[in-house]
Amino acid sequence: MISGTTRWYAVLGDPVTQVRAPELLNPVLAGFDAVLVPLHVRPDDLAGTLAGLARVRNLDGLLVTVPHKAAVCRLAAAAGPAAALAGTANALRRRPSGGWFAENFDGLGFVRGLTAAGHAVSGRRFGLAGAGGAGSAIAVALLDAGAAGVAVSDVDAGRRDALVARLEGVAPGRIHAVSPAAVTDADVVVNATPLGMRPDDRLPFDPAAAAPGTLVVEIIMKPRETELLRKAAESGLAVHHGSHMLDQQVGCYRDFFGWPR
């Protein structure tokens, strides 16, 4: 029951119809009189929205989805190590001194989701389609977890190259830029783009080009069975659903926001 004592959280995105965070986290938040609501915010309104929400005294934190993850990192007053390295954030908490503190748990949740499902990260070669908000965080976490290599493609070559240059300094020789067609030359191929959220989206890469035994991984959560995963399964490849990444972030959010256990 929402009352005058309820603490508020919001998830910001454009669109927000696909977000699973409210259904996943509200049962957790109900245990200590808090609630998470989705807010549809256009990119041009993001800075003003963040400034306005900072003035709402019973709102304690924000989650962030596409396309705002890079922008909120720039707008935050301070950032944690994963967000600073990725250049993107998916969680913001209020700072006692004012403004927002940003961190990114997409990568950690992604790696934990893979390992919980029995898929090793250390020593394996990853192809990563997408160097945006989630993709950049996933690249950081894969390298930190010991991936043998991460090959990154993106339709925005400048964004791809900037990510590779930034991470080459912390993982020399283990990250490099590739064309979208070459991303399937890996042990694990990941779609970290928004392609697949809409029925008429093109495939982010052709799973039929991957070698037998390749694992095809999705980060899109709705729909659960994207066209990419269907095509990969039809080609006889193992698949890994996007829901695992968010499920494994619940513990991260508990620690970040100080939620009781």
Side-chain angles (χ1 to χ4, degrees), residues 6-257:
T6 301
R7 307 305 299 178
W8 289 80
Y9 295 85
V11 53
L12 311 182
D14 178 25
V16 290
T17 54
Q18 81 286 356
V19 297
R20 286 189 59 242
E23 63 194 74
L24 180 67
L25 294 175
N26 275 318
V28 175
L29 296 173
F32 51 95
D33 194 20
V35 66
L36 173 70
V37 297
L39 298 181
H40 188 175
V41 180
R42 300 289 190 190
D44 288 348
D45 298 324
L46 181 64
T49 299
L50 286 177
L53 291 175
R55 297 185 177 97
V56 179
R57 303 312 302 173
N58 60 343
L59 187 145
D60 293 337
L62 303 168
L63 302 183
V64 184
T65 188
V66 293
H68 301 317
K69 294 180 181 182
V72 297
C73 199
R74 293 191 297 268
L75 292 166
L85 194 53
T88 63
N90 76 334
L92 304 173
R93 71 178 180 222
R94 186 187 299 281
R95 299 171 77 231
S97 57
W100 298 105
F101 179 83
E103 188 53 291
N104 199 322
F105 301 108
D106 278 333
L108 182 57
F110 180 84
V111 167
R112 287 180 176 178
L114 281 178
T115 56
H119 302 299
V121 172
S122 181
R124 302 183 81 183
R125 298 177 303 120
F126 285 78
L128 181 63
S136 58
I138 289 169
V140 170
L142 288 174
L143 294 170
D144 187 59
V150 178
V152 185
S153 73
D154 197 282
V155 292
D156 184 336
R159 179 169 65 178
R160 176 202 64 190
D161 293 346
L163 175 65
V164 170
R166 191 161 63 247
L167 298 187
E168 175 68 21
V170 296
R174 291 197 292 136
I175 185 163
H176 57 280
V178 296
S179 69
V183 76
T184 52
D185 183 17
D187 303 315
V188 183
V189 190
V190 183
N191 176 34
T193 79
L195 293 173
M197 289 174 56
R198 299 173 180 84
D200 57 348
D201 281 345
R202 63 177 176 82
L203 292 176
F205 53 82
D206 181 8
T214 301
L215 174 66
V216 176
V217 181
E218 183 66 87
I219 72 163
I220 288 171
M221 299 169 201
K222 189 181 292 185
R224 184 175 188 272
E225 297 291 340
T226 62
E227 184 68 11
L228 174 66
L229 294 187
R230 284 192 290 271
K231 292 289 188 182
E234 288 172 4
S235 297
L237 303 176
V239 301
H240 181 82
H241 293 87
S243 57
H244 296 285
M245 184 175 79
L246 179 59
D247 292 343
Q248 292 297 322
Q249 289 185 66
V250 175
C252 301
Y253 296 145
R254 281 188 182 274
D255 294 338
F256 183 70
F257 292 118

